[in-house]
Amino acid sequence: MTREKTAQLRKFVAPFEKADVKASVQQLLNTIPPFILFWFLAYQALDVSIWLTIALSAVAGGFVIRTFIIFHDCTHGSFFKNKKANAIVGTITGIMTLFAYEKWKREHSIHHASSGNLDKRGVGDIWVMTIEEYVEASKWERFKYRMYRNPLVMFGFGPLFLVLISSRFNRKDARKKERNNTYLINISLVVIYSLLIWAIGWQAFLIVQGSTMFIAGALGIWLFYVQHTFEDSYFEDESEWDYVKAAVEGSSYYKLPKVLQWVTGNIGFHHVHHLSPRVPNYNLEKAHESTPPLQQATTITLKSSLKSLRYKLYDAKNKTFVTFGDIKHLMNQDKDKLAA
């Protein structure tokens, strides 16, 4: 795809960059009440079986993901036309999903502005090292990176780190508005969680809420990871980096079964979202189907997406992801040099 062709894509999706109040309200109604219902059913199921509780918590977790997509749209100012409405709904859904609205809004905007840019990594993205960086890194840095990219750490401890640590504290350079929003969400969580623990007991709360949020968090990280980590994903140095190419070639089309597509708020059309963050989630599929060039984006399925777990390092020379095994010979050469 040439630069001229990709430059036209933003114009093609412009008609879909319009929030529909009716569609947004409808999505709130078919997302938040069902989440509350399944959360309550999961609690009630404790009298029957803890496994039934976990199963119902998993369903509730699916609605947490869908709630997060609403939160996500609000941070882009795409869920409602009104800025204040986005801020209010975004803060409320931030409380529900355990994310600080203003903090995540800023970090995610940086992610969009630098996705695929090798010279601007580190904020709001998955840690990616190039082969050269890994080979030249210290043993401690390599160890940290290997641990970070380990599926058990990324999808096991990752959700806990995000909601218990990362989202609870402001960045040093955060402005007053961002800091106050984080404080508001943290205080709200303390009050709401304290009331729930008082009402149902800490054990029941930990089982239901813990299961719900852990499942949602692990799946959420998976969605973010898999849509930027595929074999021929786009990465370039600052001098060669192009926003549109990064969006279309650096974000995949995750083709999911219709039920999962609905639960995940169409975020599988990630290439469309990165091309134009102003497109509400309920318009992403329409934009994809109405724009033939977008249909040429890298398509992955549930089965093929599992291959992404193997990809650990980016080969900047050959423009592809590789495994640790693929560079074993380079590491051996490095050891030989040290021995000499």
Side-chain angles (χ1 to χ4, degrees):
M1 186 179 293
T2 65
R3 181 168 295 190
E4 290 74 19
K5 288 183 178 180
T6 56
Q8 294 296 318
L9 291 180
R10 299 185 77 174
K11 294 182 180 180
F12 294 156
V13 301
F16 302 96
E17 297 175 338
K18 297 179 181 178
D20 183 330
V21 175
K22 182 178 179 180
S24 295
V25 171
Q26 183 178 18
Q27 189 168 38
L28 286 170
L29 292 175
N30 62 33
T31 300
I32 295 179
F35 159 68
I36 296 173
L37 173 63
F38 278 101
W39 197 100
F40 178 72
L41 291 175
Y43 164 64
Q44 292 293 314
L46 283 171
D47 292 332
V48 179
S49 167
I50 190 172
W51 297 112
L52 179 58
T53 289
I54 293 175
L56 290 169
S57 293
V59 177
F63 282 100
V64 171
I65 293 176
R66 190 166 165 80
T67 302
F68 180 82
I69 298 302
I70 294 174
F71 164 86
H72 170 256
D73 275 11
C74 288
T75 64
H76 285 296
S78 63
F79 198 65
F80 289 110
K81 297 177 183 178
N82 184 277
K83 184 177 180 180
K84 188 174 182 180
N86 280 312
I88 293 173
V89 173
T91 298
I92 293 173
T93 51
I95 294 171
M96 294 178 64
T97 57
L98 306 184
F99 282 91
Y101 173 73
E102 292 291 345
K103 179 178 186 293
W104 201 85
K105 177 181 178 181
R106 182 173 68 135
E107 293 180 354
H108 193 60
S109 67
I110 294 173
H111 162 68
H112 271 263
S114 61
S115 180
N117 190 323
L118 289 172
D119 295 316
K120 293 184 177 180
R121 287 166 288 166
V123 179
D125 55 9
I126 297 290
W127 185 12
V128 175
M129 291 183 77
T130 64
I131 293 176
E132 291 76 13
E133 290 168 343
Y134 184 78
V135 171
E136 295 174 2
S138 65
K139 289 184 178 180
W140 172 241
E141 196 70 10
R142 292 174 188 170
F143 173 76
K144 288 194 298 180
Y145 186 72
R146 278 182 172 272
M147 289 298 293
Y148 177 93
R149 302 288 295 199
N150 185 296
L152 292 178
V153 174
M154 183 173 289
F155 307 113
F157 292 102
L160 299 177
F161 174 79
L162 280 178
V163 301
L164 296 179
I165 300 175
S166 178
S167 295
R168 306 281 67 84
F169 298 95
N170 288 303
R171 295 172 65 90
K172 292 182 179 179
D173 59 346
R175 295 182 178 180
K176 184 177 180 180
K177 182 180 180 181
E178 182 178 328
R179 290 181 180 279
N180 289 340
N181 182 260
T182 301
Y183 298 150
L184 172 63
I185 289 176
N186 287 345
I187 292 171
S188 298
L189 285 171
V190 169
V191 172
I192 294 171
Y193 279 23
S194 296
L195 289 173
L196 283 171
I197 291 172
W198 173 77
I200 69 175
W202 69 267
Q203 298 97 328
F205 175 80
L206 186 61
I207 293 172
V208 177
Q209 182 68 356
S211 299
T212 298
M213 300 310 297
F214 180 79
I215 292 170
L219 293 177
I221 292 176
W222 168 255
L223 286 170
F224 186 81
Y225 172 83
V226 75
Q227 292 184 313
H228 289 290
T229 308
F230 49 95
E231 191 170 10
D232 56 349
S233 187
Y234 177 94
F235 283 90
E236 286 287 358
D237 294 324
E238 170 71 16
S239 59
E240 298 293 328
W241 185 82
D242 179 78
Y243 176 87
V244 178
K245 293 188 72 173
V248 179
E249 298 177 20
S251 305
S252 66
Y253 164 34
Y254 200 6
K255 191 174 184 179
L256 296 169
K258 285 296 182 180
V259 173
L260 293 181
Q261 180 183 322
W262 185 87
V263 169
T264 58
N266 296 311
I267 201 60
F269 296 95
H270 212 60
H271 57 304
V272 183
H273 169 65
H274 262 265
L275 176 64
S276 180
R278 297 288 297 181
V279 177
N281 73 84
Y282 45 75
N283 283 342
L284 291 173
E285 183 175 15
K286 298 174 186 175
H288 172 82
E289 293 181 344
S290 301
T291 313
L294 288 178
Q295 296 165 20
Q296 298 174 19
T298 299
T299 301
I300 56 176
T301 62
L302 280 175
K303 183 178 180 180
S304 65
S305 67
L306 296 176
K307 295 180 181 178
S308 69
L309 292 172
R310 300 172 56 246
Y311 302 138
K312 306 296 184 180
L313 299 161
Y314 191 73
D315 184 342
K317 181 179 179 180
N318 296 305
K319 311 298 182 186
T320 184
F321 268 102
V322 298
T323 68
F324 284 130
D326 291 331
I327 66 160
K328 193 173 182 179
H329 64 289
L330 295 176
M331 302 307 296
N332 289 332
Q333 290 175 13
D334 192 42
K335 290 180 181 178
D336 291 340
K337 289 180 180 178
L338 290 174

